[in-house]
């Protein structure tokens, strides 16, 4: 049964129960093979039999339940600038998701991208972009351009803006550092070097610190205040709010202490010390200045580290050559790749990259496809073979006809898939985002409580300074940057590393789910085996082998059965003459008969020959079947003439791939429609744990369901087309891609090169990524769990020690850098090859 797939963008769902109602109704509809409704993305994905139902009846079914189907939904990606933490991303996501005509919105802090599903009849790109700008953030303009240059244009525009932002951040940091160091020296130099104390304790010192700190705060650090103001205007709070409140509190207190020191002492209920000034410890200019400097340093280091996480996309886009040698009207000329059209004849010389996808029409060569498939060995290409754009021509030269250009090429599809995967959210990330949305308001409340507590409990002479110091430290150390970066950076690096190894993962949810798999179900033909049957044995009886094969090939020439095609192909490869056949008759499910050279040839199963009253040596057939081969019995002129054995050879790396799956603790099952003897022989050769044989295509989905009913988490590995229902039913569907016709929509994971070792690699990558995410979240949470109480003064009763706001700002900055750096370790993930 051939199935079709449709996606229905929905509106009106309010909870997971709504999604469950729709999914249950769709799954029970006539002709529906598989239905899945995702509440988070507001989308229903349905696989159905187009002969039994259609898209419109499915739409109407949803409407009858009281929900809306957005008929003309489009997908939009907005590259953003100006986000500083997960709270920023949450504010934008909430605003976009609530806009009219928007079905779903997701904002990824690590990639600085917003992904929006919307109805163009109700809203537009300009409206959505303006909504983001009204929140105080920027949308990167990409300028349009040709379809083929779309991804490159976006990357270039983003790269230029990121570079400009980095240069500005660097300038602000260096300016802030140059002014903060003297402030720090004036404030702390006497404590660090007692001999300097008298020298640095001069009249007007506080005023000098004020003069140096003011430009640091309001020029170098103005982004904190503008961001906090933008958030406040929309009744929100983010990292900028915490930094702005903390630094401004320390600064204003210090200004008043410098100008009106007696007023602060009276306000605190303490006698004013002699000398008339706030005295050392009465001003916090160094805290305000150094906090800004350290946070700017943290952002600078973070920007450098995060730039490396997008290296996979840039590397993929950079693979495509800029020019192509095209033959038009008999004249060869170099043209930009973006100007190629389908049908163009392209000359590719040794050492050049293939510009677009195409088919060889003249010449031949070996082509290095490792940049897309991860396979190190070059592939031989001859006339009629397909080649993939961006692969490297090694030896010969050839002419090819362009068949796919622009965003239809395999490379551009892979780039799109990786971008979507990196922009997606894993379930564990949604939990982190939820926590972050409540985190900043909670920290503000905690900081205020800390101030009140210390103001009430501290001695009168120090109550205001201790309360303010603890208040600022809590605000600064609690900035949730690390929490927002923990998951998306790991997913971004993990999916990018997978793409560079020929493993295409659809999204963060897939990457997270794959590590829980317990059982791998492998389709036999084309997955464990090569998928092309060949003749392996000839057992002749009463005739010579050449005659047996020649007559059988002539009779099978009119058959479309794969076994018959293998017999005909074997005869041609051995150079046997082609003989015409007459009176051809196909016997469905059993074999064929024909008249060849005046002789009656009957080919098929032993049952067919016995049914015609012929004696057959079935023992020979059983021996071949036990060896994993399919016996084809031949009779000539009413007498048994021999057996032709046909087999689908096992791929060279299949056994090693199964061993790697076993090493990961996974159960491996082979699922096939072949007869039991043949299936058992292949199973013994590759070492699988269990065999499900003689399963019809429509029965594969039921077998997956049975395994899931046993409590197993199942991955189905197939070709992505014929196995579509089973791939959809499995917890994870893995498609073996052909390199040029990648089944990007057929499964959750696609192995571009068709190498079965990629299954183990994909699961190992998933486990490594999830482990990395857990490490990042541990670092982020433990940092705040330990840091906030210490900043609030929890250790003061035991040790007499309060956390300095300067130390708090340094810890906050380094926490984000450490999370991103830990995620970058995934770039060292290596895929084992057979």
């Amino acid at each position: 049964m051939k199935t079709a797939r449709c996606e229905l963008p929905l509106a009106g769902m309010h909870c997971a129960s709504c999604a469950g109602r729709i999914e249950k109704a769709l799954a029970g509809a006539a002709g529906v093979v598989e239905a899945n409704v995702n509440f988070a993305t507001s989308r229903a994905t349905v696989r159905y039999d187009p002969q039994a139902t259609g898209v419109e009846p499915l739409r109407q079914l949803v409407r009858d339940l009281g929900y809306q189907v957005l008929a003309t939904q489009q997908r939009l990606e907005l590259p953003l600038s100006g986000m500083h933490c997960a709270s920023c991303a949450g504010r934008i996501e909430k605003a976009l998701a609530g806009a009219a005509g928007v079905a779903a919105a997701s904002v990824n802090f690590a990639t600085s991208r917003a992904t929006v599903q919307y109805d163009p009849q109700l809203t537009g790109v300009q409206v959505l972009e303006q909504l983001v700008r009204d929140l105080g953030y920027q949308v990167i303009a990409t300028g349009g351009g040709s379809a083929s240059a779309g991804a490159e244009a976006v990357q270039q525009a983003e790269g230029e803006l990121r570079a400009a932002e980095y240069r500005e951040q660097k300038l602000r940091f260096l300016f802030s550092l140059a002014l903060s160091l003297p402030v720090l020296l004036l404030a702390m130099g006497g404590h660090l070097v007692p001999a300097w104390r008298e020298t640095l304790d001069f009249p007007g010192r506080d005023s000098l610190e004020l003069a140096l700190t003011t430009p640091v705060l309001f020029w170098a650090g103005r982004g904190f205040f503008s961001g906090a103001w933008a958030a406040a205007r929309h009744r929100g709070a983010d990292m900028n709010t915490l930094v702005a409140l903390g630094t401004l509190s320390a600064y204003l207190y210090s200004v008043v202490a410098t100008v009106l020191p007696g007023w602060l002492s009276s306000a605190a209920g303490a006698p004013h010390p002699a000398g008339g000034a706030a005295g050392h410890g009465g001003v916090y200019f160094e805290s305000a200045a150094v906090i800004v400097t350290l946070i700017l340093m943290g952002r600078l280091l973070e920007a450098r580290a995060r730039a490396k996480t997008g290296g996979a996309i840039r590397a993929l886009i950079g693979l495509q050559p800029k020019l192509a040698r095209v033959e038009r009207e008999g004249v060869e000329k170099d043209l930009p790749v973006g100007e190629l059209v389908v049908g163009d004849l392209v000359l590719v010389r040794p050492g050049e990259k293939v510009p677009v996808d195409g088919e060889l029409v003249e010449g031949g060569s070996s082509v290095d496809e490792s940049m897309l498939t991860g396979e190190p060995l070059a592939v031989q290409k001859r006339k009629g073979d397909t080649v993939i754009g961006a692969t490297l021509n090694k030896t010969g030269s050839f002419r090819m006809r362009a068949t796919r250009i622009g965003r239809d090429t395999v490379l551009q599809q892979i780039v799109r898939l990786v971008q979507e995967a990196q922009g997606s959210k894993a379930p564990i990330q949604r939990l982190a985002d939820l926590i972050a949305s409540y985190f900043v308001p909670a920290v503000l409340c905690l900081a205020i409580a800390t101030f009140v507590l210390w103001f009430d409990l501290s001695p009168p002479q120090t109550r205001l300074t201790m309360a303010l110091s603890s208040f600022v430290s809590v605000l600064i150390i609690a900035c949730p940057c690390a929490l927002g970066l923990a998951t998306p950076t790991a997913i971004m690096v993990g999916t990018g590393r997978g793409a560079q190894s020929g493993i295409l993962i659809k999204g963060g949810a897939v990457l997270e789910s794959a590590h829980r798999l317990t059982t791998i179900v492998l389709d036999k033909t084309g997955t464990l085996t090569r998928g092309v049957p060949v003749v392996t044995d000839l057992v002749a009886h009463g005739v010579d082998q050449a005659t047996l094969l020649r007559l059988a090939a002539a009779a099978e020439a009119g058959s479309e059965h794969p076994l018959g095609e293998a017999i005909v192909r074997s005869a041609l490869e051995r150079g046997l003459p082609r003989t015409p056949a007459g009176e051809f008759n196909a016997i469905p499910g059993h074999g064929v008969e024909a008249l060849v050279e005046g002789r009656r040839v009957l080919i098929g199963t032993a049952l067919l020959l016995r049914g015609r009253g012929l004696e057959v040596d079935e023992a020979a057939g059983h021996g071949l079947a036990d060896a994993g081969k399919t016996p084809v019995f031949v009779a000539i002129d009413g007498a048994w003439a021999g057996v032709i054995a046909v087999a689908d050879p096992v791929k060279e790396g299949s056994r090693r791939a199964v061993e790697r799956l076993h090493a990961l603790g996974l159960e491996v099952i082979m699922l096939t429609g072949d007869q039991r003897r043949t299936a058992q022989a292949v199973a013994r050769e590759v070492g699988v744990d269990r065999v499900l044989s003689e399963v019809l295509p429509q029965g594969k989905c039921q077998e997956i369901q049975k395994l899931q009913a046993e409590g197993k988490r199942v991955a189905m590995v197939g070709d992505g087309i014929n196995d579509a229902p089973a791939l959809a039913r499995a917890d994870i569907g893995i498609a073996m891609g052909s390199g040029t016709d990648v089944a990007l929509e057929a499964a959750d994971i696609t192995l571009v090169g068709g190498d079965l070792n990629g299954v183990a690699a994909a699961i190992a990558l998933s486990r490594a990524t999830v482990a990395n995410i857990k490490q990042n979240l541990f670092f982020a949470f433990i940092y705040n769990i330990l840091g906030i109480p210490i900043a609030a003064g929890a250790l003061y009763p035991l040790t007499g020690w309060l956390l300095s706001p300067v130390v708090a700002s340094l810890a906050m900055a380094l926490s984000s850098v450490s999370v991103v750096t830990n995620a970058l370790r995934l770039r060292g993930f290596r895929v084992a090859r057979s």
Side-chain angles (χ1 to χ4, degrees), residues 319-321 348-357 360 364-382 386-396 398 411 500-502 739-740 752-753 833:
L319 291 175
Q320 189 171 43
V348 184
R349 291 163 289 199
E352 293 182 341
K353 287 185 177 181
V354 178
V356 293
D357 297 358
L360 264 69
S365 181
S366 61
V367 178
D368 181 359
E369 298 179 343
S370 60
M371 62 276 293
L372 292 181
T373 66
E375 292 295 332
L377 299 178
V379 180
Q380 288 298 129
K381 300 291 183 179
R382 300 179 180 83
T386 56
V387 287
I388 310 172
T391 54
L392 179 65
N393 182 26
K394 299 276 287 186
T395 54
F398 56 84
L411 176 66
Q500 290 175 322
S501 303
T740 57
V752 179
R833 299 291 176 185

Side-chain angles (χ1 to χ4, degrees), residues 64-86:
D64 291 343
L65 293 173
Y67 303 96
Q68 297 83 49
V69 181
L70 304 179
T72 55
Q73 192 180 66
Q74 293 184 6
R75 182 178 184 277
L76 170 69
E77 280 200 355
L78 298 175
L80 306 178
S81 174
M83 293 193 297
H84 303 298
C85 66

Side-chain angles (χ1 to χ4, degrees), residues 24-156:
K24 183 177 180 181
L26 287 171
V32 173
V33 176
E34 175 78 15
N36 179 266
V37 179
N38 190 318
F39 174 57
T41 61
S42 298
R43 296 177 77 82
T45 304
V46 186
R47 292 191 185 277
Y48 63 96
D49 181 356
Q51 296 181 347
T53 188
V55 177
E56 192 51 42
L58 298 174
R59 291 179 184 274
Q60 190 57 49
L61 176 59
V62 175
R63 295 189 189 101
D64 291 343
L65 293 173
Y67 303 96
Q68 297 83 49
V69 181
L70 304 179
T72 55
Q73 192 180 66
Q74 293 184 6
R75 182 178 184 277
L76 170 69
E77 280 200 355
L78 298 175
L80 306 178
S81 174
M83 293 193 297
H84 303 298
C85 66
S87 297
C88 299
R91 286 181 56 228
I92 300 173
E93 184 174 298
K94 184 178 180 181
L96 287 172
V102 174
S106 175
V107 178
N108 191 313
F109 174 48
T111 61
S112 297
R113 281 176 175 268
T115 303
V116 186
Q117 301 284 351
Y118 70 101
D119 185 348
Q121 295 179 352
L122 300 178
T123 188
V125 176
Q126 290 78 14
V127 175
L128 298 173
E129 289 182 346
Q130 190 58 48
L131 177 60
V132 174
R133 295 189 183 99
D134 290 342
L135 293 173
Y137 304 95
Q138 297 81 48
V139 180
I140 300 174
T142 57
S146 67
S148 62
E152 188 172 359
V154 171
Q155 288 291 320
Q156 183 176 355

Side-chain angles (χ1 to χ4, degrees), residues 224 239 243 291-299 476 809 812-813:
F224 302 126
M239 170 191 166
V243 176
I291 285 170
V292 169
T293 303
L294 289 175
I295 295 177
L296 288 175
M297 179 192 73
R299 286 189 177 179
I476 298 303
S809 61
M812 188 278 293

Side-chain angles (χ1 to χ4, degrees), residues 411-591:
L411 176 66
Q412 290 299 327
Q413 291 182 63
I414 291 174
V415 168
R416 175 182 60 81
L417 185 70
V418 176
Q419 286 177 330
E420 290 177 1
Q422 292 184 342
S424 67
K425 290 189 177 182
I428 196 172
Q429 181 184 345
R430 296 189 182 278
L431 174 63
D433 288 349
L434 180 64
I435 294 172
S437 66
Y438 293 101
F439 191 74
V440 172
V443 168
L444 288 173
C445 294
L446 182 60
I448 293 171
T450 300
F451 181 91
V452 172
L453 184 66
W454 280 109
F455 192 84
D456 286 342
L457 300 181
S458 299
Q461 61 270 22
T462 60
R463 62 171 48 164
L464 190 56
T465 56
M466 291 181 69
L468 181 66
S469 175
S470 300
F471 172 77
V472 173
S473 294
V474 169
L475 288 175
I476 298 303
I477 203 168
C479 290
C481 296
L483 186 63
L485 290 168
T487 299
T489 47
I491 289 175
M492 191 175 179
V493 179
T495 52
R497 187 69 191 93
Q500 290 175 322
S501 303
I503 303 168
L504 305 182
I505 302 170
K506 270 197 170 179
V510 174
L511 193 63
E512 183 179 337
S513 298
H515 87 284
R516 301 192 189 98
L517 293 172
T518 61
T519 303
I520 307 296
V521 177
L522 302 173
D523 180 45
K524 181 179 78 71
T525 305
T527 301
L528 286 167
T529 64
R530 296 177 184 173
V532 181
V534 296
V535 172
T536 59
D537 297 87
L538 291 169
V539 180
H541 183 265
V543 294
D544 60 81
Q545 291 184 351
T547 300
L548 175 69
L549 183 59
R550 177 171 55 81
L551 295 178
E556 290 281 11
S559 172
E560 294 181 353
H561 195 281
L563 299 181
E565 292 176 356
I567 292 172
V568 172
R569 189 166 53 249
S570 178
L572 292 175
E573 291 173 352
R574 300 185 187 205
L576 299 177
R578 300 191 63 172
T579 305
E583 301 181 19
F584 175 81
N585 178 38
I587 306 167
H590 293 283

Side-chain angles (χ1 to χ4, degrees), residues 573-748:
E573 291 173 352
R574 300 185 187 205
L576 299 177
R578 300 191 63 172
T579 305
E583 301 181 19
F584 175 81
N585 178 38
I587 306 167
H590 293 283
V592 300
E593 59 182 339
L595 191 65
V596 182
E597 299 177 359
R599 308 176 73 176
R600 179 67 57 182
V601 181
L602 180 66
I603 307 173
T605 63
L607 181 63
L608 173 64
L609 271 64
R610 284 202 311 270
R612 296 293 181 90
L614 303 178
E615 294 184 2
V616 178
D617 182 5
E618 293 191 49
H622 291 327
L624 294 169
D626 289 339
K629 303 168 184 177
T630 302
V632 179
F633 294 87
V634 183
I636 301 174
D637 291 333
W640 176 59
V643 181
I644 300 175
V646 180
D648 184 4
V650 171
K651 291 181 180 177
E652 292 180 0
S654 291
R655 183 172 185 84
R656 180 63 180 138
V658 171
E659 289 174 353
R660 288 188 175 127
L661 292 172
H662 283 151
L664 292 173
L666 298 165
E667 178 188 19
V668 185
I669 298 174
M670 187 177 77
L671 182 63
T672 179
D674 258 356
Q675 58 176 299
R676 184 178 59 84
R677 285 178 178 271
T678 303
Q680 290 286 358
V682 174
R684 286 193 298 271
E685 186 174 352
V686 299
V688 299
D689 303 305
R690 183 175 165 191
V691 179
L692 302 174
S693 59
E694 300 177 2
V695 180
L696 297 176
Q698 58 267 32
K700 291 184 177 180
C701 190
Q702 285 74 21
E703 293 295 338
I704 297 296
Q705 286 178 295
K706 290 178 183 177
L707 292 170
Q708 290 172 325
E710 296 174 14
K712 303 178 188 294
R713 296 188 66 87
V714 182
M716 173 66 192
V717 185
D719 62 14
I721 300 170
N722 298 328
D723 300 313
L727 286 167
R729 168 56 62 184
D731 296 287
I732 297 289
I734 303 177
M736 304 289 286
S738 62
T740 57
D741 189 18
V742 182
L744 296 179
E745 300 301 329
D748 302 302

